[in-house]
């Protein structure tokens, strides 16, 4: 899991400028990549989509990249018992994210097993209302259909707000003869701008402590002691 905090260019970003002296809010974007290697084009696509979102954002963005292959054993264990602490920390990152970028390589016209398995064990409602930008990589452009008939329905079922804009990168997009109708960098910039807009349109997500309103043991003892203490 890697973290990177990037300052955005507020001067030319869309949206109203913050008032002088007003506190700056840092938004959190989590990149979930099902790449199987560090040199994978899936990882590269995630990095570029995150960078495009940062460039387009009106607020500072903190990017956390999670390589799901690093949690393979923990994901498998979560199917048969409780998720290990290391995987629960990932779940918490996702639950408090202002947006998620989810990426998978396409195999046999669908998402990878690792990608699907992670979302199978992700706690219910973790993605409810969260803007999600989906991307994928594959051998040929025809595999791009998997984004709309496989990836999108799965995340919509989890109640995520899946952006209509998606990015698919075929092998040729990284080569010397890329798509000259809509080159990959242009599609990445468009998707990043759409995700930045979705983040700006939503209030900041905050971590809620479910035990915050519960009195401490000392406070409860004080209440009983006060009631029974002699006058």
């Amino acid at each position: 899991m890697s973290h990177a905090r990037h300052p955005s260019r507020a001067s030319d970003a869309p949206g109203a400028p913050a008032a002088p002296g007003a506190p700056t809010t840092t938004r959190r974007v989590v990149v979930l990549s099902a790449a199987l290697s560090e040199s994978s084009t899936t990882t590269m696509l995630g990095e570029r989509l995150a960078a495009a979102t940062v460039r387009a954002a009106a607020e500072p963005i903190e990017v956390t990249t999670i390589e799901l292959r690093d949690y393979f054993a923990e994901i498998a264990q979560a199917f048969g018992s409780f998720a290990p602490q290391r995987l629960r920390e990932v779940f918490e990152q996702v639950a408090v994210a202002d947006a998620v970028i989810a990426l998978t390589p396409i195999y046999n016209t669908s998402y990878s097993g690792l990608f699907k398995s992670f979302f199978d064990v992700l706690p219910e409602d973790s993605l409810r209302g969260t803007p999600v930008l989906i991307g994928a990589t594959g051998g040929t452009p025809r595999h791009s259909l998997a984004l709309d008939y496989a990836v999108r329905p799965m995340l919509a079922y989890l109640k995520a707000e899946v952006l209509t804009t998606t990015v698919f990168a075929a092998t040729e997009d990284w080569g010397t003869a890329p798509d000259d109708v809509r080159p990959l960098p242009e599609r990445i910039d468009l998707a990043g701008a759409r995700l930045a807009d979705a983040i700006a349109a939503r209030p900041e997500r905050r971590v809620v402590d479910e035990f915050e309103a519960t009195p401490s043991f000392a406070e409860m003892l004080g209440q009983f002691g006060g009631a029974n203490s002699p006058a």
Side-chain angles (χ1 to χ4, degrees):
M1 185 187 306
S2 63
H3 303 267
R5 179 168 295 180
H6 304 271
S8 64
R9 299 182 301 171
S11 58
D12 59 356
T24 301
T25 301
T26 298
R27 297 302 193 104
R28 295 176 293 270
V29 172
V30 171
V31 180
L32 297 172
S33 172
L36 297 182
S37 67
E38 292 183 7
S39 60
S40 169
T41 55
T42 305
T43 294
M44 291 171 56
L45 181 59
E47 292 171 349
R48 295 184 187 188
L49 286 170
T53 304
V54 168
R55 289 194 300 270
E59 301 168 287
I61 299 286
E62 182 179 89
V63 177
T64 300
T65 298
I66 298 169
E67 296 289 352
L68 297 181
R69 66 177 181 275
D70 295 336
Y71 298 86
F72 181 85
E74 289 84 354
I75 292 171
Q77 182 178 338
F79 276 101
S81 61
F82 293 107
Q85 176 61 31
R86 186 166 175 260
L87 183 59
R88 291 202 302 271
E89 291 172 359
V90 173
F91 292 161
E92 291 167 6
Q93 290 274 359
V94 173
V96 301
D98 292 291
V100 169
I101 300 174
L103 305 117
T104 179
I106 299 300
Y107 299 116
N108 296 324
T109 72
S110 190
Y111 38 63
S112 72
L114 175 61
F115 186 81
K116 176 65 161 57
S117 295
F118 174 78
F119 289 105
D120 280 344
V121 298
L122 183 69
E124 187 176 359
D125 290 337
S126 294
L127 286 174
R128 179 184 289 271
T130 303
V132 177
L133 170 61
I134 56 176
T137 57
T140 63
R142 68 176 181 271
H143 288 118
S144 63
L145 296 173
L147 281 170
D148 284 322
Y149 71 70
V151 181
R152 181 185 301 280
M154 181 186 71
L155 293 174
Y157 178 80
L158 297 176
K159 302 179 177 64
E161 292 190 3
V162 186
L163 272 63
T164 56
T165 301
T166 64
V167 179
F168 178 85
T171 301
E172 63 191 46
D173 287 316
W174 307 98
T176 57
D179 184 345
D180 56 1
V181 176
R182 186 167 235 178
L184 181 59
E186 181 181 326
R187 287 181 274 138
I188 287 173
D189 285 343
L190 175 62
R194 294 288 184 268
L195 185 59
D197 289 343
I199 294 171
R202 298 179 56 81
E204 180 188 6
R205 299 190 74 171
R206 299 183 180 276
V207 181
V208 178
D209 185 353
E210 60 183 316
F211 299 109
E212 184 176 1
T214 304
S216 68
F217 185 64
E219 290 172 333
M220 289 188 287
L221 282 179
Q223 292 172 1
F224 287 117
N228 298 325
S229 59

